[in-house]
Amino acid sequence: MLLYNLRLSWKSLLRNPSLALLTVAAIGLGIAVATSFTAIYYLMTADPLPHKSDNIYYVRLDSWNPERPFNDEFPERPPAQVTYLDATAVVKSDIPTHTAASFHSDLFVYPEDKTQHPFEVSVRLCHSGFFPIFELPFAYGGPWDRRADEGPDRVVVIDDATNQRLFGGSDSVGQRIKLGPEYFTISGVLEPWRPVTKYYDVLNASSGSPEQAYIPFLHVRDMEIATDGNTQGWKSGDGEGFAAFLSSESTWVQLWAQIETADQKARYQTFLDAYTEQQRTLDRFQRPTNNWIQPMREWHVEEGAVPPEARSMMVISLLFLAVCSINLIGLLLGKFLARAPEVGVRRALGASRRAIFLQHIVECQLLGMLGGVVGIVLSVGALGGISTMFLDDVTLHLDATMIAIGIALALISGLVAGIYPAWRVCAVAPAIHLKTQ
Amino acid sequence: MLRMRNITKIYRTSLIETHALSRFQFEVEPGEFVSVMGPSGSGKTTFLNIAGLLDTFDEGHYELGGEDVSQLSDVEMSRVRNEKIGFIFQSFNLLPDLDVFDNVDIPLRYRGMPRKERKEAIQSALETVGLSARLRHYPSQLSGGQQQRVAVARALVGKPGLILADEPTGNLDSAMAREIINLLEQINDTGTTIVMVTHDQEMAHRAGRQIFLLDGRVIDIRDEEAKPLFDPDRFMPSMPTPSLA
Ligand SMILES: Nc1ncnc2c1ncn2[C@@H]1O[C@H](COP(=O)(O)OP(=O)(O)OP(=O)(O)O)[C@@H](O)[C@H]1O
Ligand SMILES: [Mg+2]
C-alpha cells in the first residue's frame, strides 16, 4: 500500500509540477536554514573529546575575599580561575595523570630572514601536560619534555600556519625562533587544527582560533609575560611591579587535570584541601574550604561556552521552517479539496477514511522528503558560507546525524503542512462528490 | 440480499428540511436485476447512496446480505463497499490520471490483494467488457461507451454480490447504452444482483423487476391506483414537498 500511495503521490506531483516545485522549494528553503543552524548549534554543543571528556577536570580553589563570595548570584561557586601562587603550587601534584596550568598572551616573532617583518602571534603558556590532556594533533615532533617545564631550555610548539609562514611547512623541529627577546627551540609542530570551541579556555573568546605558539608556563616569571585574558582579583600582592602581581590574589590562571579513577580523584581532592588548609596559616583562604574538581563539560555549561546567538539562531531558524510549512497548509488544502470527487470515487470503491488520510499524508511526506533533499544540499553550501562569515573559519560540515536530523525535520514539516488538509479531505462525504463529477 | 425497512433520509439545510426518503421499504432477492425509475428528485440517487453505504440515514433499518449495516464503523463499511458492492455511475467517474488497468485496479488495491491475483482479475474483468487490448489507455483516449465499460469492469473486478448502477446509460447514445445493458444482463446471468436507476423505459424493461419511486417512497406498480402516475405519456416531474424546518 505504501508503494501504491507513493505512486499516486508521484502522479499527483506530476499533474501540477509548478505547484509541486513551489512546495518543495518552500520546504527545502526552510530545511536548509533550519538544518544549517541546528548543525551549528549541535557542533558547538558537541563534546570536543567524547572518548575522554569525563576524565578532564577544571580545578577551582576558593581563595576569594572572606568578606563576600566571588559570585554574588551563585555564592557557592569558587572563583573561575586560580591565582599564580596556587597554580604553580598545585600543578606540582603528581596525583593526576596529567596536569597543566595555562593562560593566553601575545608575543612578537622576529623572523631570522630579515626581509620578513616581525609579526605578533597569540601564545599559550602552559605545562607539558596540556598537550596530552587536550590531545592537540602534532604534524612533527611533539610536546616538550616534562623537564622543560622547569627550565632552563626554552622550547616552543608552533601551529601549522606559523610553520608555513616561517619554514614553508617543512619539518622545523629543532629549529629556533625568536619570540619576544628570547630564542626558543621548536619541539613540535601542530597539524592544522580548529576546534569549534576552544574547549581548553572557554573564558576568553571561546569561539576563536587556538593559539599559534605554546611555551612553558615558567616563562611567565623570567619574561614577565602578562595575561591577555580575563583577570579578577580582590587583594594586591607584596612588593612592586610584576612580582607584586604574581603574589597577589588575582585569579587569571586556568588549572586542568586529567584524572582516571575515583580513587585518584579522591586523593587529589584531599591534596587540594590540605593545600588550602596549609595556606590558611599564611593568612590566605579565609573562606570556608571550597575546592572544586569540576568535570570539563560542567564547567563549559556553567560558563555558557556555546555562544547564545547559536541557540537563538537555531530557534529562529526552526520558527522559519515552521512558517514555511504552515504557509503550505493553505496550498495543500486547496490542492487536496480540489480532488474531493476523486476521493469520493475511491471511498465508493472501498477506501476507508484512514486509507485516504494515509494516501494524502504519504503525498505530504513525499513533498517533505524532496524538500529535505533540496534543503540538505542547500545547507551544505550555506554552512560553508556561514562558517566563513561568522565562525572565523571553523569548517562546519553535515555529518550523518545532521543529515538524519534534516530528514526528520523535513518529515515533520511535511506532516505539519499536510495533516490538516489530509484530515479535511478524508472527512468529506463521498456521496456529495460523486454526483458532481 | 438487500432489505430496507422504514428508511427515512432528511437533508437539512439552514432553511429547509427535504425528506428525500420517507419510510422507504424495499427488498431485493439475491440474483435479481431490479430497475428503479421515478421522476427527478424522487430520491433514487439518495436510495442508491444509502444502499451502497455512501450515505447515512435518519431512521429505519438496513440489512445487506443478512447483516445489519447501519452500525458499522467506517473501516467495516469500507470493507463491505469494497468486497460486496460494485458501483457504476452516470458520469463514469474514472480517475483521469490512471490508465485503464490502474482504474480497474483500485478496488483490489484496497483489498490488499497480491499482485499476481490482481493482474489476473483485472485481465478477466476487462475481457468481460471487451477492452483487454486497452490496458494502457487513459480515460481521455476512450469513447464514452468504452469509459463506461471500464467502469463496469471496475465494478465487477472484485466479484461483488451486488452492483449498484445510477443511470449507467444516461450519458450514452442508444447503441452504446444497449451495449452496457447487454453487459449488465450478462453479469446478472452469472448470479450477481443488480439494482439500476434509469430514466429510460426501454432499459428499465430489460430488468427482471421494476420499481417506481415518488416523493421518497416506493410505489407498487401493480397497484392499479398508482399506475397512472407512471404512464410515460402523463409523466410529470414531481418534487418532494419540502417542509419548513
Ligand atoms: N446533499 C443534499 N442536500 C440537500 N438536499 C439534497 C441533497 N441531495 C439530494 N437532495 C434532495 O433530495 C431529494 C432527492 O434527491 P435525489 O438526488 O435522490 O433525486 P433523484 O431521484 O436521484 O433525482 P435525479 O433523477 O434528478 O437524479 C431532492 O429533492 C434533492 O433536492
Ligand atoms: Mg439521481
Side-chain angles (χ1 to χ4, degrees):
Chain A
M1 208 61 202
L2 178 66
L3 280 181
Y4 183 59
N5 281 334
L6 274 174
R7 195 153 72 89
L8 295 181
S9 307
W10 184 245
K11 277 180 181 285
S12 155
L13 300 196
L14 293 185
R15 178 166 31 179
N16 198 339
S18 45
L19 188 71
L21 271 179
L22 199 67
T23 318
V24 168
I27 295 186
L29 199 64
I31 291 294
V33 172
T35 315
S36 301
F37 285 101
T38 310
I40 290 170
Y41 180 76
Y42 163 85
L43 286 170
M44 292 197 145
T45 48
D47 190 335
L49 297 170
H51 53 288
K52 67 180 286 195
S53 63
D54 290 347
N55 296 333
I56 303 177
Y57 292 90
Y58 189 63
V59 181
R60 297 165 73 175
L61 309 170
D62 199 347
S63 58
W64 206 248
N65 190 347
E67 310 284 311
R68 59 185 193 84
F70 173 75
N71 185 334
D72 290 323
E73 201 183 335
F74 300 99
E76 73 285 2
R77 290 183 184 169
Q81 301 176 97
V82 298
T83 64
Y84 175 77
L85 289 175
D86 298 327
T88 46
V90 171
V91 81
K92 292 206 169 72
S93 165
D94 55 8
I95 298 169
T97 312
H98 301 289
T99 179
S102 98
F103 71 96
H104 163 274
S105 190
D106 297 292
L107 287 174
F108 269 91
V109 174
Y110 298 93
E112 289 298 276
D113 176 358
K114 293 302 172 207
T115 61
Q116 277 197 49
H117 290 291
F119 58 93
E120 202 179 28
V121 289
S122 57
V123 178
R124 180 152 294 269
L125 282 85
C126 57
H127 292 87
S128 55
F130 183 83
F131 301 97
I133 295 177
F134 296 111
E135 302 194 339
L136 275 65
F138 280 87
Y140 305 115
W144 54 79
D145 192 89
R146 243 189 112 166
R147 279 174 313 219
D149 283 336
E150 314 294 337
D153 297 343
R154 297 183 191 280
V155 285
V156 63
V157 167
I158 59 174
D159 78 340
D160 176 68
T162 309
N163 191 49
Q164 295 289 346
R165 187 161 179 176
L166 293 172
F167 302 102
S170 63
D171 181 353
S172 57
V173 171
Q175 307 262 27
R176 295 196 316 161
I177 60 169
K178 194 176 176 202
L179 265 179
E182 307 289 350
Y183 280 95
F184 286 78
T185 306
I186 295 172
S187 79
V189 177
L190 297 182
E191 286 177 358
W193 181 57
R194 177 54 168 104
V196 178
T197 52
K198 230 158 83 181
Y199 50 88
Y200 55 84
D201 183 357
V202 291
L203 280 174
N204 300 295
S206 65
S207 60
S209 305
E211 286 75 14
Q212 293 148 292
Y214 304 78
I215 60 174
F217 188 83
L218 85 160
H219 298 304
V220 63
R221 191 176 267 283
D222 60 285
M223 291 172 71
E224 299 204 347
I225 300 171
T227 177
D228 219 22
N230 208 304
T231 306
Q232 281 157 298
W234 60 277
K235 190 177 173 189
S236 51
D238 308 325
E240 306 246 319
F242 199 67
F245 174 66
L246 293 186
S247 65
S248 72
E249 293 289 1
S250 295
T251 57
W252 52 281
V253 181
Q254 304 185 9
L255 186 58
W256 292 97
Q258 180 175 328
I259 293 172
E260 256 72 37
T261 65
D263 168 62
Q264 208 178 358
K265 191 177 172 200
R267 283 191 292 131
Y268 194 48
Q269 184 75 56
T270 312
F271 160 76
L272 292 179
D273 294 348
Y275 167 75
T276 57
E277 208 52 48
Q278 178 254 326
Q279 289 293 306
R280 271 184 210 278
T281 63
L282 303 173
D283 213 22
R284 301 185 62 225
F285 287 90
Q286 296 302 311
R287 298 178 58 77
T289 305
N290 185 22
N291 303 319
W292 286 17
I293 306 173
Q294 185 175 25
M296 176 173 75
R297 299 294 287 155
E298 281 178 25
W299 166 234
H300 286 172
V301 170
E302 176 180 326
E303 219 20 68
V306 178
E309 312 89 69
R311 168 167 272 149
S312 11
M313 288 303 276
M314 179 179 72
V315 171
I316 290 170
S317 70
L318 289 174
L319 287 178
F320 177 71
L321 175 62
V323 169
C324 286
S325 24
I326 288 168
N327 265 319
L328 290 179
I329 294 178
L331 211 67
L332 289 175
L333 188 63
K335 183 184 165 100
F336 287 179
L337 287 185
R339 204 187 289 163
E342 175 184 330
V343 169
V345 174
R346 288 189 179 277
R347 295 277 282 137
L349 299 179
S352 60
R353 249 181 235 129
R354 196 158 65 194
I356 296 295
F357 183 74
L358 268 180
Q359 179 196 336
H360 289 86
I361 286 294
V362 166
E363 182 165 343
C364 299
Q365 296 300 48
L366 180 64
L367 287 168
M369 284 299 288
L370 292 174
V373 170
V374 169
I376 286 168
V377 169
L378 283 179
S379 107
V380 168
L383 278 180
I386 291 167
S387 26
T388 36
M389 275 193 294
F390 300 110
L391 294 168
D392 195 10
D393 288 325
V394 188
T395 32
L396 293 176
H397 56 274
L398 285 183
D399 59 10
T401 322
M402 284 320 302
I403 291 176
I405 289 179
I407 293 194
L409 283 176
L411 293 179
I412 293 172
S413 23
L415 214 59
V416 168
I419 208 156
Y420 176 69
W423 176 76
R424 279 287 304 273
V425 73
C426 80
V428 300
I432 297 177
H433 295 281
L434 287 173
K435 288 188 217 170
T436 55
Q437 253 211 356
Chain B
M1 184 77 220
L2 180 158
R3 177 197 298 254
M4 287 184 172
R5 289 265 165 272
N6 294 325
I7 298 273
T8 298
K9 171 72 185 177
I10 304 170
Y11 287 113
R12 292 186 176 85
T13 62
S14 50
L15 275 179
I16 54 167
E17 283 188 349
T18 310
H19 287 250
L21 296 179
S22 37
R23 303 184 67 73
F24 186 88
Q25 315 275 1
F26 187 50
E27 239 168 87
V28 180
E29 296 305 321
E32 266 195 297
F33 186 170
V34 184
S35 69
V36 180
M37 295 188 75
S40 183
S42 57
K44 304 183 296 296
T45 297
T46 304
F47 150 69
L48 269 196
N49 282 341
I50 290 174
L53 307 183
L54 291 173
D55 212 342
T56 54
F57 47 92
D58 298 278
E59 276 165 40
H61 192 77
Y62 175 26
E63 271 175 27
L64 185 66
E67 183 188 9
D68 181 350
V69 288
S70 53
Q71 301 303 322
L72 296 183
S73 70
D74 178 68
V75 171
E76 290 164 334
M77 275 197 201
S78 302
R79 177 154 359 100
V80 172
R81 278 201 297 274
N82 183 260
E83 292 175 358
K84 298 195 173 163
I85 305 172
F87 289 93
I88 303 169
F89 309 96
Q90 177 174 1
S91 46
F92 322 141
N93 282 342
L94 299 180
L95 302 192
D97 290 340
L98 302 183
D99 61 24
V100 165
F101 183 93
D102 288 338
N103 261 289
V104 178
D105 192 20
I106 297 171
L108 305 184
R109 287 287 186 166
Y110 292 111
R111 197 177 288 194
M113 196 184 262
R115 190 186 161 76
K116 198 163 161 284
E117 274 178 57
R118 282 193 286 116
K119 219 170 159 179
E120 284 166 5
I122 295 165
Q123 285 285 2
S124 108
L126 284 171
E127 262 160 41
T128 310
V129 302
L131 281 173
S132 45
R134 309 259 177 178
L135 288 187
R136 292 302 165 200
H137 282 58
Y138 282 85
S140 58
Q141 300 167 320
L142 299 176
S143 73
Q146 288 168 331
Q147 288 187 46
Q148 193 61 306
R149 271 151 53 195
V150 175
V152 171
R154 185 175 67 181
L156 65 91
V157 71
K159 305 212 174 359
L162 173 66
I163 285 183
L164 301 174
D166 196 353
E167 299 185 40
T169 59
N171 283 7
L172 302 175
D173 67 29
S174 50
M176 286 185 173
R178 233 162 269 134
E179 274 180 35
I180 296 296
I181 209 78
N182 289 343
L183 258 177
L184 290 179
E185 261 180 0
Q186 192 186 320
I187 293 163
N188 177 242
D189 286 344
T190 66
T192 307
T193 313
I194 297 181
V195 177
M196 175 181 74
V197 167
T198 182
H199 275 127
D200 187 315
Q201 291 278 341
E202 185 197 334
M203 301 300 152
H205 282 294
R206 301 279 293 269
R209 176 156 74 101
Q210 297 143 40
I211 64 153
F212 295 85
L213 258 65
L214 186 63
D215 288 354
R217 273 179 235 267
V218 181
I219 307 293
D220 193 342
I221 193 60
R222 286 156 299 190
D223 183 337
E224 288 306 314
E225 284 171 51
K227 196 158 185 175
L229 280 171
F230 294 92
D231 183 334
D233 301 328
R234 295 180 52 200
F235 198 94
M236 291 267 291
S238 115
M239 302 293 286
T241 33
S243 58
L244 281 175

